[in-house]
Amino acid sequence: MSDLVVLPDRAPTEWRGTAMRRRIARRYAAERRFRALGLLAVLVSAGFLAFLLVAMLGEGARGFRQTELSLTIDFPAAHLPLTAQAVAREPRRAMIGVDLEGAVANAAERQYGAGGARLLSDGAWLTARDAILRDPDVLGRSITLWVPAATSIDIAAKDAGEPAAEAAYAKLSGRGLVRTVFAWHFLTSADSTDPTLVGIWGALKGSLLTMAVTLLLAFPIGVLSALYLEEYAPKNRWTDLIEVSINNLAAVPSIIFGLLGLAVFLQTFHLPRSAPLVGGITLALMTMPVIVIAGRNAIKGVPPSIRDAALGIGASRVQVVFHHVLPLALPGILTGTIIGMARALGETAPLLMIGMRAFVATPPGGFTDPSSALPVQIFLWSDEVSAGFIEKTSAAIVVLLAVLMAMNGVAIYLRNKFERRW
Amino acid sequence: MLEPRPLKVDAPKMTARSVNVYYGAKQAIRNVSIDVSMEDVTAFIGPSGCGKSTFLRTLNRMNDTVASARVEGDITLDGEDIYAPDMDVVQLRARVGMVFQKPNPFPKSIYENVAYGARIHGLASARADMDQIVERSLRRAGLWDEVKDRLHDSGTALSGGQQQRLCIARAIAVDPEVILMDEPCSALDPIATARIEELIHELRGRYAIVIVTHNMQQAARVSQRTAFFHLGTLVEYGSTSEMFTNPRETRTKDYITGRYG
């Protein structure tokens, strides 16, 4: 038996005393302080987000608009070695060696005086070419086209140009010879040296192809790894080691994966440079650990009673996994996958290492064609000297954000669709 | 230690001889021998942690899923050693079904819950066949009238007692020979409990039933044989009426009269 200890009696606690009242007041103050700090934190982050969105959308909206100039081309006067019949017969061939660019420049000089050609974008002749291809008969007459204006005019139209360009724009505008339209070609064409001609489709398609490779590799491997580690692997030192390695892999800086891709896929396996295939494999390496970790957490969240229930009526382990565990874990796995994919979509550094920073003026046709990617394209345009690229960079960012938001939307949709309540 | 006297049963459905179960270095079951009869409901009683659930789970090898668990001794089903290397554990668990402490229906429809076992064991060839299995199982589990109009509602939307009867229907659907029930009423209210006990009476004879319970009144109400476990050993095993009126062991008597437990 323990020794008896005699403890002195305590005075009864004064629950209504001043000391107690002060303690309560301090507790309330702490509550209020904490709530105010939390609210402040939320407001600051919301403010940053709003600032980013407003800045990007404002600048980006200009990138989606393009100024066009009215140009009258008198084809008979240009004496082009081109006939309507030849174009009708073999359109592409007939165009070879025809100095349409010169003809357009001459038309501009004639219409707008000396230096008139500088009002036009370098790609203005493409509009003329398309007009001829659409209807070869225009070769026999004079036509008026809306052609893309030069960058200086384009910027002046958006109230940010040089004084000389602003004056020129004001004059043209007064005569109704310029208009600003939605730049559809920005969504359909690829990179260019001229900011009035650039488009995001090349980079977007490159990114989509890359993501397809990433998803096809990282999702099955990641999910199978997660299932094996959670449902089958014995818990021992080796599986602990694998778990730590996967967690570490998820924390490796992305540029390291780029170097790995360069050394292994390009130099050892001689896969094509700048290709979505290699980009996709590299990003899959980066995304896989994220999927494994998210997948394991989702699988851990499936109640053991469901496994017992299935085992108890004689389901094999594979049946338990595929009939019960996987469907119940799927919302979590999909959310993790899409978060991993979104991260991969925004990743620039590894793609730079494997050559996806090349100037690619045509959208990739397949997985092994040279291609750019959205974040890399943004990086490249932000590096350009020409002022016209500023708003194009913002427009590209808007496209990237839109794709990311769409992916997150899909994640939320899938989670809600597959979520089961019990 | 006294060798526990296995109560001999004529043509036992399952037998256990000198069973020891270890979790790692800790021994959970010591030298238990018991026979399970086809005709009677067998109840395992005993204070918490006495090993009655552990022993129950050795009868359909659910302990295999616990990595540290190790089972020694012989357990047979119709004379076949269920721990023999050529015993298929998946088929064993279909023949020896289990109902768990907490109702655990799959988060699927009522129909799917019942049909699942029959489907994975290939018991029904046609849709009509499966419908029949589902209806028969639900009827036997006394749930048919309550759910026949909403077979495609989620099984998890039922009340606790209905969920547990759904779990019993799910176990019945694979046509088992033995049904193990691990404290099937501990999460249920008295009315749902009474319903399950009634059901156990109805199922008696068609299946060998083993029920673990720490409610002695329940053991007295539903079982014909009772086994009293204490600290991993089988203290006494006999007919329920005898055990509750005239226990041979003082420990049994103390437990039944509420001296400890």
Side-chain angles (χ1 to χ4, degrees):
Chain A
M1 283 293 119
S2 59
D3 296 327
L4 280 175
V5 180
V6 180
L7 294 170
D9 271 349
R10 277 172 56 90
T13 308
E14 276 191 58
W15 289 108
R16 304 218 148 272
T18 38
M20 215 37 109
R21 269 179 222 284
R22 214 173 299 134
R23 188 187 304 275
I24 290 169
R26 270 206 305 275
R27 204 176 70 214
Y28 280 141
E31 294 276 349
R32 273 195 303 273
R33 217 161 35 234
F34 181 73
R35 207 163 47 194
L37 276 175
L39 189 63
L40 189 70
V42 169
L43 286 178
V44 166
S45 47
F48 274 123
L49 186 65
F51 174 74
L52 177 83
L53 282 180
V54 167
M56 285 305 148
L57 286 176
E59 190 72 31
R62 292 149 59 121
F64 283 110
R65 296 170 65 72
Q66 168 150 39
T67 308
E68 289 182 337
L69 196 62
S70 170
L71 180 69
T72 306
I73 309 172
D74 186 1
F75 282 112
H79 299 298
L80 290 170
L82 198 60
T83 61
Q85 290 84 350
V87 174
R89 222 178 310 122
E90 279 186 291
R92 295 279 159 189
R93 187 149 210 212
M95 293 287 187
I96 294 171
V98 177
D99 186 16
L100 203 55
E101 214 172 337
V104 169
N106 285 338
E109 299 278 331
R110 198 170 309 133
Q111 187 173 357
Y112 294 109
R118 284 205 300 276
L119 297 174
L120 301 184
S121 154
D122 291 345
W125 66 277
L126 292 170
T127 314
R129 182 197 64 186
D130 291 345
I132 295 172
L133 289 177
R134 219 168 22 245
D135 176 16
D137 291 335
V138 299
L139 283 169
R141 58 174 195 264
S142 166
I143 58 165
T144 301
L145 292 171
W146 288 103
V147 297
T151 306
S152 57
I153 298 296
D154 191 43
I155 294 176
K158 294 160 187 165
D159 302 322
E162 305 278 317
E166 290 281 5
Y169 173 74
K171 214 161 75 188
L172 292 168
S173 169
R175 288 156 58 195
L177 291 170
V178 283
R179 66 173 189 182
T180 301
V181 293
F182 186 80
W184 284 109
H185 75 87
F186 184 73
L187 296 176
T188 56
S189 59
D191 202 3
S192 166
T193 48
D194 185 337
T196 57
L197 298 178
V198 297
I200 199 66
W201 175 236
L204 180 58
K205 192 174 176 195
S207 269
L208 293 178
L209 291 173
T210 306
M211 286 298 105
V213 174
T214 303
L215 185 66
L216 285 178
L217 281 175
F219 185 71
I221 296 178
V223 172
L224 286 177
S225 308
L227 281 174
Y228 179 79
L229 286 174
E230 277 305 314
E231 297 291 318
Y232 281 93
K235 301 276 173 277
N236 60 26
R237 208 179 314 159
W238 289 110
T239 44
D240 284 350
L241 189 70
I242 290 173
E243 179 164 3
V244 170
S245 306
I246 288 174
N247 289 345
N248 283 337
L249 208 56
V252 168
S254 56
I255 188 109
I256 312 287
F257 286 103
L259 281 168
L260 181 85
L262 175 66
V264 176
F265 303 132
L266 297 189
Q267 286 169 4
T268 308
F269 292 121
H270 301 290
L271 289 173
R273 206 166 275 273
S274 307
L277 176 67
V278 181
I281 299 174
T282 309
L283 292 178
L285 290 175
M286 222 185 73
T287 311
M288 195 200 64
V290 179
I291 297 179
V292 174
I293 292 170
R296 291 188 66 174
N297 285 332
I299 292 165
K300 271 196 197 112
V302 176
S305 65
I306 296 294
R307 293 183 183 84
D308 279 350
L311 286 172
I313 47 171
S316 67
R317 289 177 83 176
V318 170
Q319 287 169 334
V320 173
V321 166
F322 283 97
H323 296 168
H324 301 284
V325 176
L326 191 57
L328 292 175
L330 206 56
I333 295 176
L334 288 177
T335 311
T337 303
I338 290 180
I339 288 170
M341 294 293 290
R343 205 187 118 190
L345 179 68
E347 203 53 76
T348 321
L351 300 182
L352 298 180
M353 300 306 297
I354 57 147
M356 285 185 90
R357 64 170 302 172
F359 174 78
V360 185
T362 46
F367 290 104
T368 51
D369 286 355
S371 155
S372 187
L374 274 177
V376 181
Q377 191 70 79
I378 291 167
F379 168 72
L380 290 177
W381 285 350
S382 70
D383 231 15
E384 290 279 351
V385 190
S386 167
F389 276 107
I390 296 173
E391 60 187 37
K392 296 298 174 190
T393 308
S394 297
I397 292 172
V398 171
V399 170
L400 179 61
L401 288 179
V403 174
L404 284 173
M405 280 178 193
M407 283 176 76
N408 281 328
V410 169
I412 292 168
Y413 171 76
L414 288 176
R415 196 175 54 212
N416 291 342
K417 182 173 157 65
F418 288 112
E419 194 151 56
R420 293 240 170 71
R421 278 158 283 267
W422 62 78
Chain B
M1 182 172 290
L2 273 170
E3 175 73 15
R5 292 158 299 175
L7 183 89
K8 291 293 180 206
V9 168
D10 298 331
K13 188 68 191 171
M14 294 191 84
T15 65
R17 290 291 173 273
S18 315
V19 173
N20 291 301
V21 181
Y22 303 86
Y23 289 124
K26 188 176 162 287
Q27 187 166 6
I29 293 290
R30 293 168 195 276
N31 199 23
V32 169
S33 299
I34 214 165
D35 284 354
V36 173
S37 140
M38 189 67 200
E39 287 75 34
D40 297 334
V41 174
T42 308
F44 291 176
I45 60 169
S48 300
C50 67
K52 54 194 190 299
S53 288
T54 297
F55 185 71
L56 188 78
R57 292 166 74 94
T58 61
L59 298 180
N60 68 344
R61 292 182 59 177
M62 280 300 277
N63 276 336
D64 288 16
T65 59
V66 182
S68 64
R70 192 159 51 83
V71 178
E72 284 173 1
D74 297 314
I75 301 178
T76 65
L77 171 64
D78 286 338
E80 259 184 289
D81 179 5
I82 65 167
Y83 282 87
D86 61 343
M87 170 58 73
D88 178 57
V89 64
V90 163
Q91 204 180 61
L92 170 72
R93 292 192 190 128
R95 292 172 64 191
V96 183
M98 192 158 199
V99 176
F100 296 84
Q101 192 169 355
K102 221 180 112 212
N104 55 356
F106 300 127
K108 298 175 189 252
S109 71
I110 294 168
Y111 185 95
E112 275 306 310
N113 262 286
V114 182
Y116 179 71
R119 181 169 300 136
I120 59 173
H121 293 293
L123 301 187
S125 47
R127 173 86 198 180
D129 225 7
M130 183 62 87
D131 289 349
Q132 229 175 50
I133 289 178
V134 170
E135 178 171 348
R136 192 185 313 124
S137 308
L138 285 170
R139 277 189 192 282
R140 271 191 202 158
L143 193 59
W144 176 254
D145 291 330
E146 289 158 65
V147 301
K148 64 183 176 202
D149 299 322
R150 46 176 178 143
L151 287 177
H152 296 283
D153 288 5
S154 173
T156 53
L158 297 172
S159 74
Q162 289 175 323
Q163 286 190 16
Q164 196 61 299
R165 276 181 281 148
L166 178 61
C167 292
I168 293 173
R170 182 175 66 185
I172 291 173
V174 292
D175 200 18
E177 297 158 32
V178 182
I179 299 177
L180 310 176
M181 299 186 176
D182 188 358
E183 301 187 23
C185 303
S186 65
L188 305 182
D189 64 54
I191 293 170
T193 301
R195 192 74 193 76
I196 301 271
E197 289 178 2
E198 211 173 288
L199 177 58
I200 292 171
H201 276 301
E202 286 159 19
L203 296 177
R204 179 190 163 198
R206 194 185 291 277
Y207 311 99
I209 295 174
V210 183
I211 176 171
V212 163
T213 175
H214 52 206
N215 177 339
M216 279 169 296
Q217 283 71 38
Q218 182 167 65
R221 283 191 301 263
V222 302
S223 73
Q224 288 72 48
R225 290 167 193 284
T226 300
F228 172 55
F229 285 78
H230 186 229
L231 300 176
T233 59
L234 176 63
V235 176
E236 188 168 345
Y237 181 36
S239 88
T240 302
S241 53
E242 200 181 309
M243 187 110 129
F244 277 86
T245 52
N246 187 20
R248 277 171 299 195
E249 301 273 339
T250 32
R251 276 190 290 172
T252 316
K253 191 176 163 202
D254 288 350
Y255 181 68
I256 288 170
T257 54
R259 203 70 63 80
Y260 65 89

